[in-house]
Amino acid sequence: MPETLDALDARLLLLLTDSPRLGVLECARRLGVARGTVQARLDRLTERGILGGFPPELDLAAMGYGLTAFAVLEIAQGRRAEVVEALSAIDEVCEVYATTGQGDLFVRMVARNNDDLQRVVDEVVGAPYVRRTSTSIALSTPVPPRVRPLLERLARS
């Protein structure tokens, strides 16, 4: 059973979620703990793979990629590695999940407009061993990707 986060871990991660550029000393001050405690917690969270870095939060629409689409791909059996490699070479493919159910892979992709999406979809469909796709365009993101509610629950415990 993996070790779970405690309330201090959750409070530290919430703090860094809100202010990712804070230094260890400032985190310690805001949390009311020693600098060494914060550093040890960060090291442990990194070693456990919970904390993978501090990438900036980017707005893809502001970067010119205002269209988000999802595709369910059915692929030839036993060929997931080859398909994933081909999808990784398509810059507009943001995420790929191996799934159960109707399809084999769930792909999130972005495009500049409908014509650009057609180009991206054509690239996805052209990947070797892709047998069938079903694509949907996202109209909005009512619940964006998040972990805050989970961290807040842990921080209260």
Side-chain angles (χ1 to χ4, degrees), residues 36-107:
T37 300
V38 169
Q39 187 63 59
R41 295 291 181 122
L42 288 173
D43 291 345
R44 192 177 84 239
L45 291 168
T46 302
E47 287 168 13
R48 292 173 52 203
I50 294 170
L51 182 61
F54 298 94
E57 183 178 323
L58 302 176
D59 184 332
L60 291 170
M63 293 172 49
Y65 292 92
L67 201 72
T68 298
F70 299 92
V72 176
L73 276 59
E74 292 178 19
I75 63 174
Q77 284 190 339
R79 298 298 188 168
R80 186 177 66 213
E82 292 97 325
V83 175
V84 168
E85 183 178 345
L87 294 174
S88 296
I90 301 170
D91 296 338
E92 293 83 3
V93 170
C94 298
E95 296 176 87
V96 177
Y97 295 89
T99 60
T100 61
Q102 290 284 52
D104 302 301
L105 298 174
F106 187 74
V107 179

Short mmCIF file of all heavy atoms in Angstrom, two decimals, residues 36-107:
data_model
loop_
_atom_site.label_atom_id
_atom_site.label_comp_id
_atom_site.label_asym_id
_atom_site.label_seq_id
_atom_site.Cartn_x
_atom_site.Cartn_y
_atom_site.Cartn_z
N GLY A 36 14.06 23.02 7.10
CA GLY A 36 14.48 21.64 6.87
C GLY A 36 13.30 20.69 6.72
O GLY A 36 13.37 19.72 5.95
N THR A 37 12.22 20.97 7.43
CA THR A 37 11.01 20.15 7.32
C THR A 37 10.43 20.28 5.92
O THR A 37 10.07 19.27 5.29
CB THR A 37 9.97 20.57 8.37
OG1 THR A 37 10.53 20.40 9.67
CG2 THR A 37 8.69 19.78 8.24
N VAL A 38 10.35 21.51 5.42
CA VAL A 38 9.81 21.73 4.08
C VAL A 38 10.70 21.05 3.04
O VAL A 38 10.21 20.36 2.14
CB VAL A 38 9.66 23.24 3.78
CG1 VAL A 38 9.37 23.48 2.30
CG2 VAL A 38 8.57 23.85 4.64
N GLN A 39 12.02 21.22 3.18
CA GLN A 39 12.93 20.62 2.21
C GLN A 39 12.83 19.09 2.22
O GLN A 39 12.78 18.46 1.18
CB GLN A 39 14.39 21.04 2.49
CG GLN A 39 15.35 20.58 1.42
CD GLN A 39 15.04 21.20 0.07
OE1 GLN A 39 15.05 22.41 -0.09
NE2 GLN A 39 14.75 20.36 -0.92
N ALA A 40 12.74 18.51 3.41
CA ALA A 40 12.61 17.06 3.52
C ALA A 40 11.30 16.59 2.90
O ALA A 40 11.25 15.55 2.23
CB ALA A 40 12.70 16.63 4.99
N ARG A 41 10.22 17.33 3.13
CA ARG A 41 8.93 16.97 2.54
C ARG A 41 8.97 17.05 1.02
O ARG A 41 8.49 16.16 0.32
CB ARG A 41 7.81 17.88 3.07
CG ARG A 41 7.53 17.78 4.55
CD ARG A 41 6.89 16.43 4.88
NE ARG A 41 6.59 16.31 6.29
CZ ARG A 41 5.39 16.08 6.79
NH1 ARG A 41 4.35 15.94 6.00
NH2 ARG A 41 5.22 15.95 8.08
N LEU A 42 9.57 18.12 0.48
CA LEU A 42 9.69 18.26 -0.97
C LEU A 42 10.52 17.12 -1.57
O LEU A 42 10.15 16.55 -2.60
CB LEU A 42 10.32 19.61 -1.33
CG LEU A 42 9.44 20.84 -1.12
CD1 LEU A 42 10.24 22.11 -1.34
CD2 LEU A 42 8.21 20.80 -2.02
N ASP A 43 11.61 16.80 -0.91
CA ASP A 43 12.46 15.70 -1.38
C ASP A 43 11.68 14.38 -1.40
O ASP A 43 11.74 13.63 -2.36
CB ASP A 43 13.71 15.56 -0.51
CG ASP A 43 14.67 16.72 -0.67
OD1 ASP A 43 14.53 17.49 -1.65
OD2 ASP A 43 15.56 16.86 0.19
N ARG A 44 10.94 14.13 -0.32
CA ARG A 44 10.17 12.88 -0.22
C ARG A 44 9.06 12.84 -1.27
O ARG A 44 8.84 11.81 -1.92
CB ARG A 44 9.60 12.71 1.18
CG ARG A 44 9.06 11.29 1.40
CD ARG A 44 8.54 11.05 2.81
NE ARG A 44 7.17 11.53 2.88
CZ ARG A 44 6.73 12.47 3.72
NH1 ARG A 44 7.53 13.01 4.60
NH2 ARG A 44 5.48 12.86 3.70
N LEU A 45 8.36 13.96 -1.47
CA LEU A 45 7.29 14.02 -2.46
C LEU A 45 7.84 13.82 -3.88
O LEU A 45 7.20 13.18 -4.72
CB LEU A 45 6.54 15.35 -2.36
CG LEU A 45 5.70 15.54 -1.09
CD1 LEU A 45 5.26 16.99 -0.96
CD2 LEU A 45 4.50 14.60 -1.08
N THR A 46 9.02 14.32 -4.12
CA THR A 46 9.67 14.14 -5.43
C THR A 46 10.10 12.70 -5.62
O THR A 46 9.85 12.09 -6.66
CB THR A 46 10.87 15.09 -5.57
OG1 THR A 46 10.42 16.44 -5.40
CG2 THR A 46 11.54 14.95 -6.92
N GLU A 47 10.73 12.12 -4.59
CA GLU A 47 11.18 10.72 -4.67
C GLU A 47 10.01 9.77 -4.89
O GLU A 47 10.15 8.78 -5.60
CB GLU A 47 11.91 10.33 -3.38
CG GLU A 47 13.28 10.94 -3.24
CD GLU A 47 13.86 10.77 -1.84
OE1 GLU A 47 13.32 9.96 -1.05
OE2 GLU A 47 14.85 11.45 -1.54
N ARG A 48 8.86 10.07 -4.29
CA ARG A 48 7.68 9.22 -4.43
C ARG A 48 6.95 9.44 -5.74
O ARG A 48 5.99 8.74 -6.05
CB ARG A 48 6.73 9.47 -3.26
CG ARG A 48 7.30 8.98 -1.93
CD ARG A 48 6.45 9.36 -0.74
NE ARG A 48 5.05 8.98 -0.87
CZ ARG A 48 4.07 9.56 -0.20
NH1 ARG A 48 4.32 10.52 0.66
NH2 ARG A 48 2.83 9.16 -0.36
N GLY A 49 7.39 10.43 -6.52
CA GLY A 49 6.76 10.70 -7.81
C GLY A 49 5.49 11.52 -7.72
O GLY A 49 4.80 11.70 -8.73
N ILE A 50 5.16 12.03 -6.54
CA ILE A 50 3.96 12.85 -6.38
C ILE A 50 4.19 14.23 -6.96
O ILE A 50 3.34 14.78 -7.64
CB ILE A 50 3.55 12.94 -4.89
CG1 ILE A 50 3.14 11.56 -4.40
CG2 ILE A 50 2.45 13.97 -4.68
CD1 ILE A 50 2.95 11.45 -2.91
N LEU A 51 5.35 14.79 -6.70
CA LEU A 51 5.72 16.12 -7.18
C LEU A 51 6.72 15.93 -8.30
O LEU A 51 7.82 15.44 -8.08
CB LEU A 51 6.32 16.93 -6.03
CG LEU A 51 6.72 18.36 -6.33
CD1 LEU A 51 5.52 19.17 -6.77
CD2 LEU A 51 7.35 18.99 -5.09
N GLY A 52 6.31 16.31 -9.51
CA GLY A 52 7.17 16.08 -10.66
C GLY A 52 7.84 17.33 -11.18
O GLY A 52 8.61 17.26 -12.13
N GLY A 53 7.56 18.46 -10.62
CA GLY A 53 8.19 19.69 -11.10
C GLY A 53 7.23 20.86 -10.96
O GLY A 53 6.16 20.74 -10.39
N PHE A 54 7.64 21.94 -11.51
CA PHE A 54 6.86 23.17 -11.41
C PHE A 54 6.70 23.81 -12.79
O PHE A 54 7.20 24.89 -13.04
CB PHE A 54 7.54 24.16 -10.46
CG PHE A 54 7.66 23.65 -9.07
CD1 PHE A 54 8.80 22.99 -8.64
CD2 PHE A 54 6.61 23.78 -8.18
CE1 PHE A 54 8.90 22.50 -7.35
CE2 PHE A 54 6.71 23.29 -6.89
CZ PHE A 54 7.85 22.66 -6.47
N PRO A 55 6.01 23.13 -13.71
CA PRO A 55 5.84 23.76 -15.03
C PRO A 55 4.86 24.92 -14.94
O PRO A 55 3.96 24.91 -14.09
CB PRO A 55 5.27 22.62 -15.88
CG PRO A 55 4.58 21.73 -14.91
CD PRO A 55 5.37 21.83 -13.63
N PRO A 56 5.02 25.90 -15.81
CA PRO A 56 4.06 27.01 -15.80
C PRO A 56 2.71 26.53 -16.32
O PRO A 56 2.63 25.59 -17.10
CB PRO A 56 4.68 28.02 -16.76
CG PRO A 56 5.58 27.22 -17.64
CD PRO A 56 6.04 26.06 -16.82
N GLU A 57 1.66 27.18 -15.87
CA GLU A 57 0.31 26.89 -16.37
C GLU A 57 0.13 27.73 -17.63
O GLU A 57 0.19 28.96 -17.58
CB GLU A 57 -0.73 27.26 -15.33
CG GLU A 57 -2.13 26.91 -15.75
CD GLU A 57 -3.15 27.26 -14.67
OE1 GLU A 57 -2.84 27.10 -13.49
OE2 GLU A 57 -4.25 27.70 -15.05
N LEU A 58 -0.05 27.07 -18.75
CA LEU A 58 -0.15 27.77 -20.03
C LEU A 58 -1.59 27.76 -20.53
O LEU A 58 -2.30 26.76 -20.40
CB LEU A 58 0.74 27.09 -21.08
CG LEU A 58 2.22 27.00 -20.72
CD1 LEU A 58 2.97 26.22 -21.78
CD2 LEU A 58 2.82 28.37 -20.52
N ASP A 59 -2.01 28.87 -21.12
CA ASP A 59 -3.34 28.98 -21.72
C ASP A 59 -3.17 28.72 -23.21
O ASP A 59 -2.68 29.58 -23.96
CB ASP A 59 -3.91 30.37 -21.46
CG ASP A 59 -5.32 30.53 -21.98
OD1 ASP A 59 -5.70 29.85 -22.96
OD2 ASP A 59 -6.04 31.37 -21.42
N LEU A 60 -3.56 27.52 -23.65
CA LEU A 60 -3.37 27.15 -25.05
C LEU A 60 -4.17 28.05 -25.99
O LEU A 60 -3.71 28.35 -27.09
CB LEU A 60 -3.72 25.69 -25.26
CG LEU A 60 -2.75 24.70 -24.61
CD1 LEU A 60 -3.30 23.28 -24.67
CD2 LEU A 60 -1.39 24.78 -25.27
N ALA A 61 -5.35 28.48 -25.58
CA ALA A 61 -6.16 29.38 -26.42
C ALA A 61 -5.42 30.70 -26.63
O ALA A 61 -5.39 31.22 -27.75
CB ALA A 61 -7.53 29.61 -25.80
N ALA A 62 -4.81 31.22 -25.59
CA ALA A 62 -4.06 32.47 -25.70
C ALA A 62 -2.83 32.30 -26.59
O ALA A 62 -2.34 33.26 -27.19
CB ALA A 62 -3.65 32.98 -24.32
N MET A 63 -2.36 31.05 -26.72
CA MET A 63 -1.21 30.76 -27.58
C MET A 63 -1.65 30.50 -29.02
O MET A 63 -0.83 30.20 -29.88
CB MET A 63 -0.46 29.53 -27.06
CG MET A 63 0.22 29.76 -25.74
SD MET A 63 0.89 28.23 -25.01
CE MET A 63 1.81 27.52 -26.36
N GLY A 64 -2.96 30.60 -29.28
CA GLY A 64 -3.45 30.41 -30.64
C GLY A 64 -4.08 29.06 -30.90
O GLY A 64 -4.52 28.79 -32.02
N TYR A 65 -4.15 28.21 -29.89
CA TYR A 65 -4.76 26.89 -30.04
C TYR A 65 -6.09 26.87 -29.28
O TYR A 65 -6.21 26.27 -28.23
CB TYR A 65 -3.82 25.80 -29.52
CG TYR A 65 -2.59 25.66 -30.39
CD1 TYR A 65 -1.44 26.36 -30.10
CD2 TYR A 65 -2.62 24.84 -31.51
CE1 TYR A 65 -0.32 26.26 -30.91
CE2 TYR A 65 -1.51 24.73 -32.33
CZ TYR A 65 -0.36 25.44 -32.03
OH TYR A 65 0.73 25.33 -32.84
N GLY A 66 -7.08 27.54 -29.86
CA GLY A 66 -8.37 27.71 -29.19
C GLY A 66 -9.33 26.55 -29.30
O GLY A 66 -10.38 26.56 -28.69
N LEU A 67 -8.98 25.55 -30.07
CA LEU A 67 -9.85 24.40 -30.27
C LEU A 67 -9.26 23.18 -29.58
O LEU A 67 -8.10 22.84 -29.81
CB LEU A 67 -9.99 24.13 -31.77
CG LEU A 67 -11.19 23.33 -32.23
CD1 LEU A 67 -12.45 24.17 -32.11
CD2 LEU A 67 -11.00 22.93 -33.68
N THR A 68 -10.05 22.54 -28.73
CA THR A 68 -9.64 21.29 -28.09
C THR A 68 -10.58 20.20 -28.57
O THR A 68 -11.80 20.40 -28.65
CB THR A 68 -9.73 21.40 -26.55
OG1 THR A 68 -8.81 22.41 -26.11
CG2 THR A 68 -9.36 20.08 -25.88
N ALA A 69 -10.00 19.05 -28.88
CA ALA A 69 -10.81 17.92 -29.33
C ALA A 69 -10.31 16.65 -28.66
O ALA A 69 -9.16 16.58 -28.21
CB ALA A 69 -10.74 17.79 -30.85
N PHE A 70 -11.19 15.68 -28.61
CA PHE A 70 -10.86 14.37 -28.04
C PHE A 70 -11.17 13.32 -29.08
O PHE A 70 -12.20 13.39 -29.75
CB PHE A 70 -11.67 14.11 -26.77
CG PHE A 70 -11.40 15.12 -25.69
CD1 PHE A 70 -12.18 16.27 -25.58
CD2 PHE A 70 -10.35 14.94 -24.80
CE1 PHE A 70 -11.93 17.20 -24.59
CE2 PHE A 70 -10.09 15.87 -23.82
CZ PHE A 70 -10.87 17.01 -23.71
N ALA A 71 -10.30 12.34 -29.20
CA ALA A 71 -10.52 11.25 -30.14
C ALA A 71 -10.38 9.93 -29.41
O ALA A 71 -9.49 9.76 -28.59
CB ALA A 71 -9.53 11.32 -31.29
N VAL A 72 -11.30 9.03 -29.71
CA VAL A 72 -11.20 7.65 -29.24
C VAL A 72 -10.65 6.86 -30.42
O VAL A 72 -11.23 6.89 -31.52
CB VAL A 72 -12.57 7.11 -28.79
CG1 VAL A 72 -12.47 5.65 -28.41
CG2 VAL A 72 -13.11 7.95 -27.64
N LEU A 73 -9.55 6.17 -30.20
CA LEU A 73 -8.91 5.40 -31.27
C LEU A 73 -9.03 3.91 -31.01
O LEU A 73 -8.80 3.46 -29.88
CB LEU A 73 -7.42 5.73 -31.36
CG LEU A 73 -6.97 6.95 -32.13
CD1 LEU A 73 -7.59 8.22 -31.59
CD2 LEU A 73 -5.46 7.06 -32.10
N GLU A 74 -9.42 3.20 -32.04
CA GLU A 74 -9.34 1.74 -32.01
C GLU A 74 -8.11 1.38 -32.82
O GLU A 74 -7.93 1.88 -33.94
CB GLU A 74 -10.60 1.12 -32.61
CG GLU A 74 -11.83 1.36 -31.77
CD GLU A 74 -13.09 0.79 -32.38
OE1 GLU A 74 -13.00 -0.09 -33.27
OE2 GLU A 74 -14.18 1.23 -31.98
N ILE A 75 -7.25 0.54 -32.25
CA ILE A 75 -5.98 0.23 -32.90
C ILE A 75 -5.83 -1.28 -33.06
O ILE A 75 -6.55 -2.06 -32.44
CB ILE A 75 -4.79 0.80 -32.10
CG1 ILE A 75 -4.70 0.19 -30.70
CG2 ILE A 75 -4.90 2.32 -32.01
CD1 ILE A 75 -3.46 0.59 -29.91
N ALA A 76 -4.89 -1.67 -33.90
CA ALA A 76 -4.61 -3.09 -34.09
C ALA A 76 -4.07 -3.66 -32.78
O ALA A 76 -3.28 -3.02 -32.08
CB ALA A 76 -3.58 -3.27 -35.20
N GLN A 77 -4.52 -4.87 -32.46
CA GLN A 77 -4.09 -5.50 -31.21
C GLN A 77 -2.57 -5.65 -31.16
O GLN A 77 -1.94 -6.00 -32.16
CB GLN A 77 -4.73 -6.87 -31.06
CG GLN A 77 -6.18 -6.78 -30.64
CD GLN A 77 -6.74 -8.15 -30.27
OE1 GLN A 77 -6.22 -9.19 -30.66
NE2 GLN A 77 -7.80 -8.14 -29.49
N GLY A 78 -2.03 -5.36 -29.98
CA GLY A 78 -0.60 -5.53 -29.76
C GLY A 78 0.26 -4.45 -30.37
O GLY A 78 1.48 -4.57 -30.40
N ARG A 79 -0.34 -3.38 -30.86
CA ARG A 79 0.42 -2.32 -31.55
C ARG A 79 0.38 -0.97 -30.83
O ARG A 79 0.65 0.05 -31.43
CB ARG A 79 -0.09 -2.16 -32.98
CG ARG A 79 0.06 -3.39 -33.83
CD ARG A 79 1.51 -3.73 -33.96
NE ARG A 79 1.67 -4.81 -34.93
CZ ARG A 79 2.83 -5.15 -35.42
NH1 ARG A 79 3.92 -4.54 -35.03
NH2 ARG A 79 2.91 -6.14 -36.27
N ARG A 80 0.04 -1.00 -29.55
CA ARG A 80 -0.09 0.26 -28.81
C ARG A 80 1.21 1.06 -28.83
O ARG A 80 1.20 2.27 -29.06
CB ARG A 80 -0.53 0.01 -27.37
CG ARG A 80 -0.81 1.32 -26.64
CD ARG A 80 -1.33 1.12 -25.25
NE ARG A 80 -0.30 0.51 -24.42
CZ ARG A 80 -0.51 -0.33 -23.43
NH1 ARG A 80 -1.74 -0.67 -23.13
NH2 ARG A 80 0.47 -0.81 -22.73
N ALA A 81 2.35 0.42 -28.63
CA ALA A 81 3.63 1.15 -28.58
C ALA A 81 3.89 1.91 -29.87
O ALA A 81 4.30 3.08 -29.84
CB ALA A 81 4.77 0.19 -28.28
N GLU A 82 3.63 1.28 -31.01
CA GLU A 82 3.87 1.93 -32.29
C GLU A 82 2.92 3.11 -32.50
O GLU A 82 3.32 4.17 -33.00
CB GLU A 82 3.71 0.94 -33.45
CG GLU A 82 4.77 -0.12 -33.50
CD GLU A 82 4.33 -1.43 -32.84
OE1 GLU A 82 3.58 -1.40 -31.83
OE2 GLU A 82 4.73 -2.49 -33.35
N VAL A 83 1.66 2.93 -32.12
CA VAL A 83 0.69 4.01 -32.27
C VAL A 83 1.05 5.18 -31.36
O VAL A 83 1.05 6.34 -31.78
CB VAL A 83 -0.75 3.52 -32.00
CG1 VAL A 83 -1.75 4.68 -32.05
CG2 VAL A 83 -1.14 2.44 -32.99
N VAL A 84 1.40 4.88 -30.11
CA VAL A 84 1.77 5.94 -29.16
C VAL A 84 3.00 6.69 -29.66
O VAL A 84 3.08 7.92 -29.56
CB VAL A 84 1.99 5.35 -27.75
CG1 VAL A 84 2.63 6.37 -26.83
CG2 VAL A 84 0.65 4.89 -27.17
N GLU A 85 3.95 5.98 -30.21
CA GLU A 85 5.15 6.64 -30.76
C GLU A 85 4.77 7.61 -31.88
O GLU A 85 5.24 8.74 -31.94
CB GLU A 85 6.14 5.60 -31.27
CG GLU A 85 7.43 6.19 -31.78
CD GLU A 85 8.42 5.14 -32.24
OE1 GLU A 85 8.25 3.95 -31.92
OE2 GLU A 85 9.38 5.53 -32.93
N ALA A 86 3.88 7.17 -32.77
CA ALA A 86 3.45 8.03 -33.87
C ALA A 86 2.66 9.24 -33.35
O ALA A 86 2.85 10.36 -33.83
CB ALA A 86 2.60 7.23 -34.86
N LEU A 87 1.80 9.02 -32.37
CA LEU A 87 1.03 10.13 -31.80
C LEU A 87 1.93 11.13 -31.09
O LEU A 87 1.70 12.34 -31.13
CB LEU A 87 -0.04 9.60 -30.84
CG LEU A 87 -1.15 8.76 -31.46
CD1 LEU A 87 -2.06 8.19 -30.38
CD2 LEU A 87 -1.94 9.55 -32.49
N SER A 88 2.98 10.63 -30.46
CA SER A 88 3.93 11.51 -29.76
C SER A 88 4.65 12.45 -30.71
O SER A 88 5.13 13.51 -30.31
CB SER A 88 4.97 10.68 -29.00
OG SER A 88 4.34 9.92 -27.99
N ALA A 89 4.71 12.09 -31.98
CA ALA A 89 5.38 12.92 -32.98
C ALA A 89 4.47 14.03 -33.52
O ALA A 89 4.93 14.90 -34.25
CB ALA A 89 5.88 12.04 -34.12
N ILE A 90 3.20 14.01 -33.14
CA ILE A 90 2.25 15.04 -33.58
C ILE A 90 2.20 16.11 -32.50
O ILE A 90 1.72 15.87 -31.39
CB ILE A 90 0.85 14.44 -33.83
CG1 ILE A 90 0.93 13.33 -34.89
CG2 ILE A 90 -0.14 15.54 -34.25
CD1 ILE A 90 -0.35 12.53 -35.04
N ASP A 91 2.70 17.29 -32.81
CA ASP A 91 2.83 18.35 -31.80
C ASP A 91 1.53 18.71 -31.12
O ASP A 91 1.50 19.03 -29.93
CB ASP A 91 3.42 19.62 -32.43
CG ASP A 91 4.84 19.42 -32.94
OD1 ASP A 91 5.52 18.48 -32.45
OD2 ASP A 91 5.26 20.19 -33.82
N GLU A 92 0.42 18.66 -31.83
CA GLU A 92 -0.87 19.07 -31.28
C GLU A 92 -1.50 18.02 -30.37
O GLU A 92 -2.52 18.29 -29.74
CB GLU A 92 -1.83 19.42 -32.42
CG GLU A 92 -1.44 20.66 -33.21
CD GLU A 92 -0.40 20.38 -34.30
OE1 GLU A 92 -0.01 19.20 -34.49
OE2 GLU A 92 0.00 21.34 -34.96
N VAL A 93 -0.94 16.85 -30.30
CA VAL A 93 -1.44 15.82 -29.39
C VAL A 93 -0.88 16.12 -28.00
O VAL A 93 0.32 16.08 -27.79
CB VAL A 93 -1.05 14.40 -29.87
CG1 VAL A 93 -1.37 13.37 -28.79
CG2 VAL A 93 -1.77 14.06 -31.16
N CYS A 94 -1.77 16.45 -27.07
CA CYS A 94 -1.36 16.88 -25.73
C CYS A 94 -1.30 15.73 -24.73
O CYS A 94 -0.46 15.75 -23.83
CB CYS A 94 -2.32 17.94 -25.21
SG CYS A 94 -2.36 19.43 -26.21
N GLU A 95 -2.22 14.78 -24.84
CA GLU A 95 -2.28 13.66 -23.91
C GLU A 95 -2.84 12.44 -24.62
O GLU A 95 -3.67 12.58 -25.52
CB GLU A 95 -3.24 13.96 -22.73
CG GLU A 95 -2.82 15.09 -21.84
CD GLU A 95 -3.89 15.36 -20.80
OE1 GLU A 95 -3.86 14.71 -19.72
OE2 GLU A 95 -4.77 16.20 -21.07
N VAL A 96 -2.38 11.27 -24.20
CA VAL A 96 -2.93 10.01 -24.70
C VAL A 96 -3.08 9.07 -23.51
O VAL A 96 -2.14 8.90 -22.73
CB VAL A 96 -2.00 9.37 -25.76
CG1 VAL A 96 -2.57 8.02 -26.21
CG2 VAL A 96 -1.79 10.31 -26.94
N TYR A 97 -4.26 8.49 -23.38
CA TYR A 97 -4.53 7.53 -22.31
C TYR A 97 -4.90 6.19 -22.93
O TYR A 97 -5.70 6.14 -23.86
CB TYR A 97 -5.71 8.00 -21.44
CG TYR A 97 -5.45 9.26 -20.68
CD1 TYR A 97 -5.72 10.51 -21.23
CD2 TYR A 97 -4.90 9.20 -19.40
CE1 TYR A 97 -5.47 11.67 -20.52
CE2 TYR A 97 -4.66 10.37 -18.69
CZ TYR A 97 -4.93 11.59 -19.26
OH TYR A 97 -4.67 12.73 -18.56
N ALA A 98 -4.33 5.11 -22.42
CA ALA A 98 -4.78 3.77 -22.79
C ALA A 98 -6.03 3.50 -21.96
O ALA A 98 -6.02 3.72 -20.75
CB ALA A 98 -3.69 2.75 -22.50
N THR A 99 -7.09 3.03 -22.61
CA THR A 99 -8.37 2.90 -21.93
C THR A 99 -9.00 1.52 -22.13
O THR A 99 -8.55 0.74 -22.97
CB THR A 99 -9.37 3.95 -22.46
OG1 THR A 99 -9.56 3.75 -23.86
CG2 THR A 99 -8.88 5.37 -22.20
N THR A 100 -10.03 1.28 -21.36
CA THR A 100 -10.87 0.10 -21.57
C THR A 100 -12.14 0.57 -22.25
O THR A 100 -12.40 1.78 -22.35
CB THR A 100 -11.23 -0.57 -20.23
OG1 THR A 100 -11.98 0.35 -19.44
CG2 THR A 100 -9.98 -1.00 -19.48
N GLY A 101 -12.96 -0.35 -22.70
CA GLY A 101 -14.22 0.03 -23.32
C GLY A 101 -14.15 -0.01 -24.82
O GLY A 101 -13.41 -0.79 -25.41
N GLN A 102 -14.93 0.87 -25.46
CA GLN A 102 -15.05 0.87 -26.93
C GLN A 102 -13.71 1.07 -27.62
O GLN A 102 -13.41 0.40 -28.58
CB GLN A 102 -16.01 1.96 -27.39
CG GLN A 102 -17.44 1.69 -27.04
CD GLN A 102 -18.05 0.65 -27.96
OE1 GLN A 102 -17.50 -0.43 -28.16
NE2 GLN A 102 -19.20 0.97 -28.51
N GLY A 103 -12.94 2.03 -27.18
CA GLY A 103 -11.68 2.34 -27.84
C GLY A 103 -10.49 1.85 -27.05
O GLY A 103 -10.62 1.36 -25.93
N ASP A 104 -9.34 1.99 -27.67
CA ASP A 104 -8.09 1.57 -27.03
C ASP A 104 -7.31 2.75 -26.47
O ASP A 104 -6.63 2.62 -25.45
CB ASP A 104 -7.22 0.82 -28.04
CG ASP A 104 -7.95 -0.38 -28.61
OD1 ASP A 104 -8.33 -1.26 -27.81
OD2 ASP A 104 -8.14 -0.44 -29.84
N LEU A 105 -7.38 3.89 -27.15
CA LEU A 105 -6.65 5.08 -26.73
C LEU A 105 -7.59 6.28 -26.73
O LEU A 105 -8.44 6.42 -27.62
CB LEU A 105 -5.47 5.36 -27.66
CG LEU A 105 -4.38 4.31 -27.73
CD1 LEU A 105 -3.36 4.65 -28.81
CD2 LEU A 105 -3.68 4.14 -26.39
N PHE A 106 -7.41 7.15 -25.76
CA PHE A 106 -8.18 8.39 -25.66
C PHE A 106 -7.17 9.52 -25.82
O PHE A 106 -6.21 9.61 -25.07
CB PHE A 106 -8.88 8.46 -24.29
CG PHE A 106 -9.83 9.61 -24.15
CD1 PHE A 106 -11.06 9.59 -24.80
CD2 PHE A 106 -9.50 10.70 -23.36
CE1 PHE A 106 -11.94 10.65 -24.65
CE2 PHE A 106 -10.39 11.76 -23.22
CZ PHE A 106 -11.61 11.74 -23.87
N VAL A 107 -7.38 10.37 -26.82
CA VAL A 107 -6.40 11.38 -27.20
C VAL A 107 -6.99 12.77 -27.03
O VAL A 107 -8.09 13.05 -27.51
CB VAL A 107 -5.99 11.19 -28.68
CG1 VAL A 107 -4.98 12.24 -29.12
CG2 VAL A 107 -5.45 9.78 -28.91
#
